[in-house]
Amino acid sequence: MSAQPLLEAEGLVKEYPMGVRALDGASLTVGRGEIVGIMGRSGSGKSTLLHILGCLDRPDAGRVCIDGIEVTRLPDSALPAIRLRRLGFVFQAHNLVPSLTALENVALPLRYLRPRPANPYAQAKAMLEAVGLGDRLHHLPGQLSGGQQQRVAIARALVNSPALVLADEPTGALDSQSARALLRLMRRLCQERGQTFVVVTHDPVVGQVCDRIYHMEDGRVLSTAAG
Amino acid sequence: MEILRNLYRRRLRTGLTVLGIAVGILAFTVMGAMAEKFNRLIAGGEAYFANRIAVHSTGGALRLNLLGPEEIEVMKRTPGVRHVETHIMMALDETAGFELAPRFLVGIDLPNFARAQLIGDEAAQLRLARGGWWRPGERQVAVLGSAVAHKMKLDVGDTLHARGRDFRVVGVLQETLSLPDGWALIPEEDAREILFDGSALLREMGLDGAWTNAYALIEPGLGEALTDQLAHSLRRGYLLHSPEQLAKAAGTASSLLNTAILGSGAIAVIVGSLAVINTMFFAVGERTREIGIKKAIGAGRWAILREFLAESVLIGLMGGLLGLGAAAGLIAALNGYAAQEGTPVFLLTPRLAAGALGFATLLGGLAGAWPAWRAANLDPVEALRAI
């Protein structure tokens, strides 16, 4: 872990209507090149934390710094650019745009970049080959298995070379064999590319590939442990 | 490509929406083509009468108020009148009843008519499509307007049977999309004989000069003043129309038609836009999670707005193309039928086609704007929770 953390979250509070407090002073730090797991029971605040770290939601209190930028101070209009250039997302399921091929799904973030890269599809193809799907470029999501779809999602999350990839239950919809293959892929990408992952999960198997694990309960980050 | 795939995924709904717009555009185009035709006729008439004061006999059983040489002379002597064109005009077929484009036998004195053509406005000039004019002194000959030739299936060398007489067709005029298309021009002497055949009194009077209509070709801008002056100079019993009166009447008719077009256009807007709004709201509902994913990976509001707007614009364009194609087919069929009656009723101009297509596309865009705006402003977290 380098001296300058990639991600710092401090004192995050998020309260929903009806007085439900999803986050209650949650804080965490993630260094560059780490795979960090966030574990906890349903309703412990994991997904809310991930949404706030991913600039999809705002905390009621607290601050988040990504790559030295305090994103909680930025206006709403600046957040899509942060998500586009510094973050990658992998969700549990229904993760791809069904009308786009694997290649088009991976090239999607590049299409939103301004100025557009010279050859987004060449970049997307290289990324798909890196996750072992060079022979599935023109398949629609419906023509791929669950594990293959998640590998496409990882390729899409990485194609912009973001500083941080946030994954929300990435193995949740996969069988154990596919889940293990996906985790091996994440570990390999982390080692080869120095990529940083924050993975929200309640699956202990996922915890085994993490460098560190934060446990959450009732909106608080309780402890950190080696994976 | 993504847009086409999205539309294909919902092909039944997309198809029905496209059909809804197509029906609206079909109605709009057919109505518009009718209005274009009538507007062209009105414009043709307006141009023809731009610098002419029309003087008509009011008819009557005895036909005693025909225009005679004295009246023509009064008109000619009036300052500002450059020339007086005289006609003897009557229904080509008295038994025809109502005709969409009425046909007339028009008796003319060739030198008088030629001078009017020479000094008249460009828009009022008649050009031969085939054949030629008759020679001075020649009788029982005719030059036909395009609609008369078409309806009666006559051409140069054929014989026109009209009012119990035969006329050898020596020429056919180019289409003007105006009144002369319904004329059969014949020598004045022949027309006068037909006119007098119907009135024993006139026959007994043995008039050499008598006309049903006269047109004073005037200097520009003097229409109202000269019409007033002629109304006082001529004895009573004639109808006078100044160019301004005719233009005003034409303008009123044109306004009515254009209102009818706007009415049909409004129906197209309501039907088509409701269908597009409905379809696009469904699309936003179905693709909420997809919108969430796109926002999560960095799509801004404008990117999402543009994607949904592009879909609705494409639906509008496809509806427009389908409606325009159907309208072109229907117009061709209806014109084919109407041509048997002499005059096609519809005119599908490039202006109308481009307008209908542009209207459909704009309609698609406007109707899609609301759902697209809603999609663009979806909360990404809420959108990601959608299944």
Side-chain angles (χ1 to χ4, degrees):
Chain A
M1 184 172 150
S2 62
Q4 171 73 41
L6 175 68
L7 171 68
E8 276 182 288
E10 199 178 315
L12 296 177
V13 175
K14 181 72 181 179
E15 204 168 289
Y16 289 113
M18 313 288 287
V20 177
R21 184 165 275 224
L23 293 180
D24 189 10
S27 300
L28 59 82
T29 306
V30 178
R32 290 173 195 276
E34 281 190 296
I35 299 183
V36 172
I38 299 174
M39 298 187 77
R41 288 197 305 259
S42 287
S44 59
K46 303 187 300 289
S47 291
T48 303
L49 178 63
L50 194 80
H51 290 152
I52 289 173
L53 297 180
C55 302
L56 292 167
D57 205 353
R58 284 184 179 280
D60 297 326
R63 57 188 282 274
V64 176
C65 282
I66 299 171
D67 217 3
I69 301 167
E70 191 175 338
V71 294
T72 36
R73 290 171 70 98
L74 295 176
D76 283 351
S77 58
L79 297 181
I82 295 287
R83 294 196 292 266
L84 184 59
R85 292 175 187 279
R86 295 178 190 277
L87 300 174
F89 286 88
V90 181
F91 301 100
Q92 182 177 349
H94 311 293
N95 200 352
L96 303 175
V97 178
S99 56
L100 299 182
T101 62
L103 186 68
E104 289 164 339
N105 260 290
V106 176
L108 196 56
L110 302 172
R111 273 173 42 189
Y112 295 134
L113 275 177
R114 292 292 178 275
R116 269 196 188 189
N119 197 345
Y121 289 102
Q123 272 179 259
K125 185 176 175 228
M127 206 61 240
L128 275 168
E129 283 166 352
V131 299
L133 287 175
D135 57 342
R136 295 285 188 275
L137 301 179
H138 303 295
H139 285 58
L140 290 168
Q143 298 166 320
L144 299 173
S145 69
Q148 287 171 331
Q149 287 188 35
Q150 284 304 64
R151 280 151 70 188
V152 173
I154 287 180
R156 187 181 61 194
L158 294 174
V159 74
N160 268 356
S161 304
L164 177 65
V165 176
L166 301 168
D168 189 1
E169 304 281 9
T171 57
L174 302 181
D175 59 66
S176 58
Q177 193 179 349
S178 301
R180 276 196 294 277
L182 188 78
L183 293 169
R184 277 198 300 274
L185 174 67
M186 280 169 60
R187 170 51 71 190
R188 178 166 66 79
L189 291 168
C190 184
Q191 287 166 348
E192 287 175 4
R193 299 166 60 100
Q195 195 69 56
T196 308
F197 284 87
V198 172
V199 185
V200 162
T201 184
H202 60 262
D203 182 355
V205 178
V206 178
Q208 291 169 11
V209 299
C210 294
D211 299 316
R212 288 187 298 130
I213 296 168
Y214 285 101
H215 287 278
M216 287 195 74
E217 197 174 306
D218 298 332
R220 291 169 182 271
V221 179
L222 291 181
S223 62
T224 175
Chain B
M1 202 62 190
E2 182 187 355
I3 297 169
L4 289 174
R5 281 198 213 118
N6 278 327
L7 295 178
Y8 184 73
R9 273 164 64 200
R10 313 182 311 270
R11 50 193 173 276
L12 179 62
R13 198 181 317 138
T14 301
L16 289 173
T17 308
V18 166
L19 204 59
I21 292 183
V23 169
I25 292 300
L26 170 70
F28 176 79
T29 309
V30 171
M31 290 291 289
M34 186 185 276
E36 284 282 78
K37 176 73 180 186
F38 281 102
N39 280 337
R40 187 72 70 89
L41 286 172
I42 288 166
E46 217 174 355
Y48 188 79
F49 290 105
N51 288 308
R52 288 165 180 246
I53 296 171
V55 182
H56 307 284
S57 74
T58 51
L62 298 177
R63 296 183 185 275
L64 289 176
N65 56 349
L66 293 170
L67 289 150
E70 283 176 30
E71 284 77 24
I72 300 303
E73 202 53 37
V74 166
M75 290 169 71
K76 279 182 179 170
R77 281 203 309 268
T78 304
V81 174
R82 302 169 69 196
H83 177 61
V84 177
E85 181 184 342
T86 49
H87 287 181
I88 297 171
M89 203 164 180
M90 64 199 84
L92 191 148
D93 181 359
E94 279 186 314
T95 62
F98 171 77
E99 289 185 297
L100 197 59
R103 292 167 298 152
F104 293 100
L105 270 181
V106 179
I108 55 169
D109 172 55
L110 209 48
N112 171 280
F113 185 78
R115 179 164 160 70
Q117 287 282 299
L118 200 65
I119 66 172
D121 289 353
E122 175 80 12
Q125 287 182 1
L126 304 180
R127 293 179 178 80
L128 284 161
R130 297 181 292 283
W133 292 95
W134 57 82
R135 287 187 297 278
E138 213 173 352
R139 300 283 300 268
Q140 303 297 120
V141 283
V143 171
L144 306 182
S146 61
V148 174
H150 193 89
K151 180 169 184 179
M152 301 182 79
K153 296 181 174 58
L154 294 174
D155 210 333
V156 175
D158 293 337
T159 301
L160 166 71
H161 302 283
R163 312 280 293 224
R165 292 168 188 246
D166 289 342
F167 299 89
R168 184 169 51 85
V169 177
V170 295
V172 175
L173 296 171
Q174 287 180 10
E175 189 176 43
T176 63
L177 292 173
S178 186
L179 297 176
D181 289 348
W183 290 354
L185 295 162
I186 58 173
E188 187 178 271
E189 296 80 1
D190 291 333
R192 194 171 286 121
E193 277 184 15
I194 296 170
L195 185 71
F196 290 179
D197 274 353
S199 165
L201 181 60
L202 287 175
R203 205 165 47 241
E204 283 304 311
M205 288 167 75
L207 297 173
D208 286 337
W211 299 273
T212 58
N213 307 45
Y215 301 96
L217 278 69
I218 58 169
E219 301 290 350
L222 299 177
E224 291 287 5
L226 281 180
T227 305
D228 282 348
Q229 197 175 333
L230 287 174
H232 283 100
S233 308
L234 297 169
R235 62 187 168 84
R236 295 175 69 172
Y238 303 111
L239 280 178
L240 279 78
H241 295 294
S242 69
E244 291 80 4
Q245 284 172 324
L246 290 166
K248 193 178 168 190
T252 306
S254 188
S255 299
L256 283 170
L257 281 165
N258 290 330
T259 305
I261 297 172
L262 286 176
S264 67
I267 292 167
V269 167
I270 292 165
V271 173
S273 60
L274 285 179
V276 174
I277 289 171
N278 186 42
T279 296
M280 293 312 295
F281 266 125
F282 263 106
V284 172
E286 283 173 349
R287 284 152 59 192
T288 300
R289 184 171 171 85
E290 178 185 319
I291 294 165
I293 291 168
K294 285 180 173 174
K295 286 195 156 192
I297 63 174
R301 278 183 188 178
W302 173 236
I304 301 289
L305 185 81
R306 205 172 42 207
E307 284 178 24
F308 278 85
L309 265 185
E311 274 186 37
S312 60
V313 163
L314 189 60
I315 287 175
L317 181 64
M318 289 193 300
L321 283 170
L322 186 65
L324 188 61
L330 185 62
I331 285 169
L334 289 171
N335 271 348
Y337 176 76
Q340 294 169 7
E341 293 299 310
T343 304
V345 184
F346 304 94
L347 185 64
L348 181 55
T349 58
R351 175 179 75 163
L352 177 63
L357 211 53
F359 181 54
T361 309
L362 183 70
L363 172 73
L366 287 177
W370 182 17
W373 180 253
R374 204 170 135 178
N377 286 287
L378 276 176
D379 175 47
V381 175
E382 290 298 318
L384 282 169
R385 286 194 184 123
I387 300 296

